[in-house]
Amino acid sequence: MPPMSLLLAACGLLPPLLMLAALPRRSAVTPTAAWGRFRVLASAALACTALGLVLQLAGVRVPEATVPGLGFTLNGQWVAVLVQLLGMTIGVFSSRYLQGEPGQPRYVGALAGVLAAVQVLLLADHWLVLIAAWAAIGLVLRRLLCFYRDRPFALLAAHKKRVADRGADLLLIAAAALAWNAVGSGAWPALWRHLEAGAPSFALQASAVCLALAVVLRTALLPVHGWLIQVMEAPTPVSALLHAGVVNLGGFVLIRFAPLLEAVPAARWLLVVAGVVTACLAGLVMLTRISIKVRLAWSTVAQMGFMVMECGLGLYGLALLHLIGHSVYKAHTFLAASGIVEETRLRAMRSVAAPAVASVLIAPVLAVAVTAALAALWPWAAWPLWWSGVLGLAWAPLLWWPAERWPEAPGAGRLLLGGVATVAVLVLAALVGHGMPFGVHDVPYTPAGVTALAALAALYAGLALMRTRPAALAAWRRRSYAGFYVDEFVTRAALRLWPTRWAAAAPANSHEPGNT
């Protein structure tokens, strides 16, 4: 094998090994020593992933089956750099955030274990490696989610996640068994060659559907989203890791299985429907919440729905761009939560409740027109026209102006021009990002795309009514605030299916009720 290919393979294999080496060796190790070891090894792992990305962009490739079960892909290398950068940043933040807290070596070990398992998942090129890595992520992540063992809702959320993870593991095993039986091998390159040879068998179609369902469970889409909302009682850096680096992995798995999804329309429709429903309902719920962290959690649910929808629509480049952008944004938002709270308070003091009706009517037309025009004028391949409609509707609220303005506020014309400029910048950023060398290719699915466009139009209409005519939708707003009561049913079902003690027993002299 050429020396550069050997170097690339080493850059892929070293990060998970370095993270495993960061595990505290003794239970009596001091927090300072544990964090110091983590920083050094995490920095080395980041350097390895960055060098691997440079080599991949330079055209270096590792021959197939060089390391059994592992593959070295360009899209995986992009995400590996992202995850390692976020992991190191979150580790540095955690060392200050948890200063003086007991159990810090345990936290360091769990953080390093999660990063190691994620790096292995990004290298997976075999069903068994994917199953083992994803299961390991869930097991080790639970130690971080339950770091504060006296917070009952964090324990309940971790238990609900465990139930969802076990269901996803079973579905993933079923998908692997069906595909393995049809292809005669668990290696993914053999699966890709089998799909190129002809139409997929019924077993492969069932495998794709099981894979899609497993991703829905793992990515916190409705109706199994509740744990992601309730886990806000975990330490803030854990929330950043979860929302920025772990829950996004479902999107990466779908991108890796693009050849299988393209051959099975049923799986693509399942992803589109689940993604659209989640994005729309979670987006409505988010608008009714006041708590900043809870709003961020609902925002993540909505964004995961949007990303899964993009994968179902075959827009893999945009999905990977979405994954990277969402990860960076959520990591910054959670780690700067105090500043975000202050900014939100100031914005609330300046804002008004209702936008002008004229702006609500004009905004989608202008936003869609700007998006479609820039995409059409872009000299390189862009996206389908119906996706310009989806993006335009998503960004249309940026063009709203208030029905009543405060003194010395800019006029409607200036606000409209500012909104149009903002949409134009976002479109150009999306076009530039879409052209990045991610190593993926879009395969747009127009029938589902038109359906997604209609759903986003309905969402925009509902959002406009909620903002301009709140009294007319008071009952709907109450249901939205309650998350449409979906999580209550799922929580009861999870506790019946797998009973657990999720609240600490009350002290003997306490008058508080015991655990349930």
Side-chain angles (χ1 to χ4, degrees), residues 399-402 405-419:
L399 276 66
W400 290 354
W401 63 80
R405 301 193 306 274
W406 58 91
E408 300 182 358
R414 288 181 58 187
L415 291 172
L416 181 61
L417 288 175

Side-chain angles (χ1 to χ4, degrees), residues 157-465:
H159 177 69
K160 288 161 64 177
K161 185 181 187 304
R162 180 168 56 176
V163 174
D165 286 353
R166 294 302 169 269
D169 291 342
L170 292 175
L171 286 166
L172 200 57
I173 292 171
L178 289 165
W180 203 321
N181 181 65
V183 177
S185 172
W188 296 348
L191 174 59
W192 312 152
R193 289 191 292 269
H194 184 87
L195 291 169
E196 291 173 357
S201 62
F202 177 78
L204 280 180
Q205 294 183 48
S207 175
V209 172
C210 288
L211 174 69
L213 288 172
V215 170
V216 168
L217 290 177
R218 280 281 189 173
T219 317
L221 268 59
L222 270 69
V224 291
H225 62 289
W227 65 266
L228 190 62
I229 311 300
Q230 294 165 347
V231 82
M232 290 295 100
E233 292 193 359
T236 294
V238 174
S239 298
L241 176 68
L242 178 63
H243 289 255
V246 175
V247 77
N248 293 310
L249 292 174
F252 174 77
V253 171
L254 293 177
I255 292 169
R256 289 287 282 125
F257 277 94
L260 179 59
L261 296 176
E262 292 161 17
V264 185
R268 300 181 77 173
W269 273 108
L270 173 61
L271 294 172
V272 170
V273 171
V276 166
V277 170
T278 298
C280 292
L281 294 184
L284 291 174
V285 175
M286 181 185 67
L287 295 174
T288 65
R289 296 307 178 104
I290 299 174
S291 169
I292 300 302
K293 290 186 72 174
V294 173
R295 282 177 66 109
L296 288 173
W298 277 106
S299 169
T300 297
V301 175
Q303 294 295 327
M304 291 304 98
F306 206 80
M307 184 178 65
V308 167
M309 178 188 71
E310 289 170 326
C311 292
L313 294 174
L315 303 176
Y316 303 110
L318 288 168
L320 189 55
L321 178 64
H322 191 168
L323 186 156
I324 294 172
H326 176 263
S327 296
V328 173
Y329 167 73
K330 277 297 164 65
H332 169 266
T333 304
F334 273 102
L335 298 183
S338 59
I340 298 297
V341 170
E342 184 63 24
E343 290 176 11
T344 303
R345 286 175 177 171
L346 292 174
R347 193 182 305 116
M349 292 174 64
R350 294 193 300 264
S351 63
V352 295
V357 174
S359 69
V360 172
L361 298 175
I362 294 172
V365 178
L366 276 178
V368 172
V370 170
T371 305
L374 290 176
L377 294 172
W378 191 247
W380 298 281
W383 45 68
L385 182 60
W386 47 262
W387 188 250
S388 292
V390 171
L391 292 179
L393 288 170
W395 292 330
L398 296 173
L399 276 66
W400 290 354
W401 63 80
E404 298 180 6
R405 301 193 306 274
W406 58 91
E408 300 182 358
R414 288 181 58 187
L415 291 172
L416 181 61
L417 288 175
V420 169
T422 303
V423 170
V425 170
L426 290 172
V427 175
L428 291 174
L431 289 167
V432 171
H434 185 248
M436 292 286 288
F438 289 140
V440 297
H441 303 284
D442 291 347
V443 186
Y445 191 33
T446 298
V450 174
T451 302
L453 176 59
L456 265 293
L459 173 62
Y460 181 84
L463 172 63
L465 284 174

